[in-house]
Amino acid sequence: MLRMNHIWKQILTGSVTRIAVMQGHSCFFQERLVTNSASRLSSTVSWYDLQLKEQIHEQRQHLKKDKAVSILRDPGIPALRKLTREELLELIATSVVYQENPLIGISKPPGLPITGKDLCLTSLLPALQQRLHLSKELHIVKASNRDYSGLVLLSTCHQTTKHIEDVFIQARSKKETLASYCAVTVGVPEPAEGEISIALKQQNIGEQELVVPVLHPTPGNFQRKEAKKAITRYKVLDATDGCALVQLQPLTTFESQLQVHLTVKLCALLGDHVYSARLGKVLGVPFCLPVESAIPRTQVLDESLLRKLHFVQKQMWKMPIHLHLHKLLIPPFETKKSGTIITAAPPAYFLRTLELLGLTMNEFAEENVRNRSKELCLGAV
């Protein structure tokens, strides 16, 4: 009897420790059971591990079934500012989606800057090189914007990088698409498939420098570099109740090009707290506001859409932008005779949003559960 009491005491001690870890939103579940006699309790610990995993699974299933749960709770938004340098490095190292010498593809979380004075992807590359046991230095070939999630292409060979960069330039001149984004939009682009060819320029509005469309540029505007040609191909993959899942393929590169081009189509990216302010509604009909008066602000959604997402307007500042670089086509290079397609599934919160809105993205359906379980331990904003 004394021995059994001792065993249950050790189990309960381990239970308290694990519950504390889970409630603290630790990035990595600790699989250590606190006990002074672990060797004698191996079978009991195995039983307990099984029970704990079943409980976690039941909690996740409950969250999925709970109709009042937003993405802030299930699966949560990655809170990078709460991560230590080592935790962020571990997150990136476990986000490798492609590796074939000399190229490496990783799936970047939203909010991670590529360059900068503070913690950024570039500053982590030397440590990532060691973590991946690479003999040569890593550098960036192509990456998505800081606020976007998605693919980042890295290389250990500058010659290969130069070749790929040249191929991307040639592809743009031929209007070939090598990069593909998926986006959730508020509003449905019409027609359902097409090409947006509208010049862009940067303009000071208030105290910010923003990108604005140039609807009727002259040849002189381009010669004086007052505007730049910008082209985006798009295709509505699914739509319901005023929202859509859209594939976006930029044929040119300009800061915020995808966001601004969508506003011309009377749509805004979900979570766009800068350019969504340019759209207004009169009797439910959207229209474009003058860019000079459309000061960036937290995105405002209709009550019906907020209910679908289980948000209230005062929480909208936490809504991440739903734009994900999910596919890159790498043309043949060096000894490779065929092109390479690299894909990265959207983050768990992105897939959860699709579920809440009733939108379908069949390509990454199998990745949904996998990403949720991975991001559940990142903490929430």
Side-chain angles (χ1 to χ4, degrees):
M1 181 65 70
L2 290 175
R3 178 178 173 80
M4 288 303 297
N5 288 338
H6 177 70
I7 290 174
W8 282 110
K9 181 179 180 180
Q10 298 302 324
I11 293 173
L12 290 174
T13 303
S15 177
V16 171
T17 301
R18 291 199 172 189
I19 291 172
V21 171
M22 291 174 63
Q23 289 178 345
H25 298 290
S26 172
C27 266
F28 310 103
F29 288 111
Q30 297 186 20
E31 298 294 339
R32 178 173 59 88
L33 185 65
V34 180
T35 174
N36 295 326
S37 55
S39 60
R40 291 180 295 170
L41 296 175
S42 59
S43 60
T44 306
V45 171
S46 298
W47 170 84
Y48 177 77
D49 284 339
L50 180 61
Q51 292 295 313
L52 182 62
K53 290 177 181 178
E54 289 180 354
Q55 291 174 13
I56 294 173
H57 177 73
E58 290 175 359
Q59 290 173 358
R60 288 176 181 161
Q61 293 301 317
H62 175 72
L63 287 174
K64 291 177 185 178
K65 294 177 182 178
D66 189 347
K67 295 183 179 180
V69 173
S70 74
I71 61 173
L72 298 179
R73 183 178 172 192
D74 174 26
I77 311 299
L80 300 187
R81 67 179 183 277
K82 296 181 181 180
L83 301 184
T84 65
R85 181 185 181 88
E86 188 61 29
E87 289 171 340
L88 183 56
L89 176 62
E90 181 66 22
L91 173 62
I92 294 173
T94 56
S95 298
V96 174
V97 295
Y98 176 84
Q99 186 168 359
E100 185 173 351
N101 188 50
L103 298 178
I104 294 176
I106 64 173
S107 185
K108 182 184 80 69
L112 177 62
I114 304 302
T115 59
K117 296 181 180 179
D118 299 326
L119 194 60
C120 62
L121 180 58
T122 302
S123 67
L124 293 171
L125 289 183
L128 181 62
Q129 174 192 342
Q130 294 181 355
R131 184 66 59 90
L132 299 179
H133 306 291
L134 302 173
S135 59
K136 297 181 180 180
E137 291 184 357
L138 280 169
H139 56 271
I140 296 172
V141 181
K142 187 171 181 60
S144 55
N145 181 285
R146 168 188 178 142
D147 296 324
Y148 310 159
S149 60
L151 284 168
V152 175
L153 186 62
L154 307 174
S155 174
T156 58
C157 175
H158 287 281
Q159 183 177 352
T160 300
T161 299
K162 180 65 167 59
H163 173 75
I164 293 175
E165 289 175 344
D166 290 342
V167 169
F168 268 85
I169 294 174
Q170 294 171 11
R172 285 195 291 269
S173 65
K174 297 177 182 178
K175 290 191 175 182
E176 296 175 350
T177 56
L178 300 181
S180 183
Y181 293 76
C182 53
V184 177
T185 63
V186 181
V188 182
E190 293 183 356
E193 184 174 359
E195 189 173 281
I196 305 169
S197 181
I198 294 178
L200 301 173
K201 69 175 183 178
Q202 291 186 322
Q203 179 177 320
N204 288 323
I205 298 178
E207 298 180 354
Q208 301 185 56
E209 187 176 63
L210 301 174
V211 178
V212 300
V214 183
L215 300 180
H216 305 290
T218 64
N221 293 141
F222 296 124
Q223 292 172 2
R224 293 187 296 271
K225 296 184 179 181
E226 297 170 346
K228 182 179 178 181
K229 293 181 179 180
I231 304 172
T232 301
R233 285 181 184 157
Y234 72 92
K235 181 179 181 180
V236 177
L237 303 178
D238 196 10
T240 179
D241 296 334
C243 293
L245 172 63
V246 182
Q247 179 188 65
L248 298 169
Q249 297 176 318
L251 300 180
T252 54
T253 57
F254 201 99
E255 182 182 351
S256 304
Q257 173 179 322
L258 301 179
Q259 293 165 259
V260 177
H261 271 178
L262 280 173
T263 62
V264 178
K265 285 291 183 178
L266 301 179
C267 300
L269 290 169
L270 180 62
D272 182 353
H273 305 300
V274 178
Y275 296 101
S276 63
R278 295 180 179 178
L279 299 179
K281 279 188 177 181
V282 174
L283 299 177
V285 179
F287 68 96
C288 286
L289 294 165
V291 294
E292 294 78 12
S293 61
I295 305 300
R297 57 174 176 144
T298 300
Q299 187 174 33
V300 178
L301 299 183
D302 293 340
E303 282 297 324
S304 59
L305 182 53
L306 287 171
R307 284 194 298 270
K308 272 193 169 186
L309 296 170
H310 308 301
F311 264 71
V312 292
Q313 185 58 47
K314 65 181 181 181
Q315 295 176 314
M316 274 300 297
W317 66 273
K318 298 180 180 181
M319 178 69 76
I321 193 165
H322 283 58
L323 183 61
H324 177 80
L325 177 54
H326 78 99
K327 185 181 296 184
L328 283 175
L329 172 61
I330 310 300
F333 65 92
E334 296 178 350
T335 58
K336 291 185 68 67
K337 296 182 179 180
S338 59
T340 302
I341 296 177
I342 305 176
T343 61
Y349 70 81
F350 190 111
L351 296 170
R352 172 64 174 159
T353 295
L354 296 182
E355 291 180 4
L356 293 173
L357 295 177
L359 298 170
T360 303
M361 188 174 187
N362 293 324
E363 183 175 356
F364 296 113
E366 295 180 359
E367 295 287 340
N368 195 346
V369 176
R370 194 181 313 167
N371 277 0
R372 283 193 187 181
S373 61
K374 180 178 177 181
E375 295 184 5
L376 187 63
C377 60
L378 283 178
V381 174

